[in-house]
Amino acid sequence: MPNEKPLVTVDSVLFTYADQEIQVLLVKRALAPEIDKWALPGGIVDTDADEDLERTALRKLQEKTGVAPRYLDQLETRGSQSRDPRGWSITVVYTALIAKQDCQSHISSVADAQWVSLDNVSSMTLAFDHNELITSAAERLKQRALYSIAPGYALADKFTLSELQHLHELLIGKPLQKRSFRRRIDQAGLLIDTGKKRREHGRPATLYKLKEKSRNYTFLRNLES
Amino acid sequence: MPNEKPLVTVDSVLFTYADQEIQVLLVKRALAPEIDKWALPGGIVDTDADEDLERTALRKLQEKTGVAPRYLDQLETRGSQSRDPRGWSITVVYTALIAKQDCQSHISSVADAQWVSLDNVSSMTLAFDHNELITSAAERLKQRALYSIAPGYALADKFTLSELQHLHELLIGKPLQKRSFRRRIDQAGLLIDTGKKRREHGRPATLYKLKEKSRNYTFLRNLES
DNA sequence: CCAATAGTGTCTATCAGACATTATCTA
DNA sequence: TAGATAATGTCTGATAGACACTATTGG
């Protein structure tokens, strides 16, 4: 006679970059267990509606943000007897990136979702093991910052190199050499010059777009961490 | 009313290195569906016996090999409506490494398990999506060969640098510079000189052991692929 | 001695780090 | 012009690639 099947959920750690901070989207749980606690956007796999796990992740993110994230990447899967009071449970965790303005109107219209600075998340008590999941996702994203420009998907469609560098600096936790940062991106040909400039203070900055190859490109050499 | 829960299995891609080849452990399925087809060692999560997913992987590997692998690392999770004829199913896939002699006596005593050369696996029709899972695991292991010495866990406890280099060459698919390969391992201090030598032909080769730090150490620079 | 394999010396090429310098905008 | 930010010039240092060389065994 077969065992009870474990409960399967999909959770996403959705990051963005705004106000010089890395932020994570949290939602307030409406149901028991852990009701009213803040948690990652996610939920139970719907075997009728969802074709595959990525669809579950996208569906749950769309419910909260109104749109699909620009970047979605499977992080890890945790499963154990103890992580959920209901019993044996599994969560498949995705890391997602989006530009804040691409979904802000939708999020600010609901009270049960908010962006929280990554620095402040550690002082909150989230549902289940979600604190750990965010730490794990942030570590993976930091690694990506050392050898790719995937973090750029957390920026607006058009962005400046200074913005991208600052985001990487936040992730890595130390300042980077402007020359090194730009050289490697130039040489790999990862960005498209949109021809437009952003004027704020000082010399106007060129606005770039990510090439599709930027999603998976990895440099042979890491920046120093 | 809740949906039907998906079926959750754990499968492991267990690699070893022997006869100048990379080999994968396959087992013959004893039950429907896909009965009598070769498949990855794995099975359904036992929510009574298994504490967590890694335990499931270890339990299933132990059934087939008699021992725990020296290296076990979660690869990815696949889940969809279509990958198993029984309906919505999920598999959590692990990559594992072991020295062939650490488990050969147990494997050769059973008829339903065999080592197959990685080169030949692509010409076999395995159960479910297991061909794809092996390809995915081999790709990840190749990446590891470019920036770590984790593949060394597929060798015996004591091994020579030439053996380790040849294994990396097989994974990467091209010859490596002996000097480059040794330099980076020396500088990172990843190996212990056991003081013993292997005498076969020519000059005796120093036998090394992996330091524990080798498991997770990553070089800042990749070898060229 | 030769064949075979292990292990080293050393030069070059590449690319990240450091940091000074120049460029282009607004007030 | 001064202040601010963007972008470049250029030197140094670390490390992988290339490849010749030396070392140590058995026969």
Side-chain angles (χ1 to χ4, degrees), chain A residues 152-196:
Chain A
Y153 287 97
L155 300 176
D157 178 50
K158 300 187 179 92
F159 57 87
T160 70
L161 282 172
S162 294
E163 284 172 342
L164 183 59
Q165 180 175 343
H166 188 246
L167 168 54
H168 279 246
E169 285 173 338
L170 274 179
L171 286 167
I172 293 168
K174 66 167 239 179
L176 297 172
Q177 290 290 333
K178 181 161 55 174
R179 202 71 176 95
S180 307
F181 190 74
R182 292 173 179 228
R183 219 175 2 211
R184 59 192 348 229
I185 293 173
D186 282 354
Q187 286 178 0
L190 297 177
L191 301 182
I192 299 166
D193 184 337
T194 62
K196 303 187 193 242

Side-chain angles (χ1 to χ4, degrees), chain B residues 198-215:
Chain B
R198 171 167 305 157
R199 300 181 140 65
E200 278 185 343
H201 322 277
R203 176 173 174 177
T206 305
L207 287 165
Y208 293 93
K209 286 196 303 186
L210 289 164
K211 282 193 191 168
E212 189 49 39
K213 68 185 278 200
S214 302
R215 189 178 298 274

Side-chain angles (χ1 to χ4, degrees), chain B residues 29-45:
Chain B
R29 283 187 59 81
L31 303 170
E34 310 267 23
I35 190 166
D36 285 338
K37 275 197 187 170
W38 291 97
L40 291 171
I44 295 172
V45 172

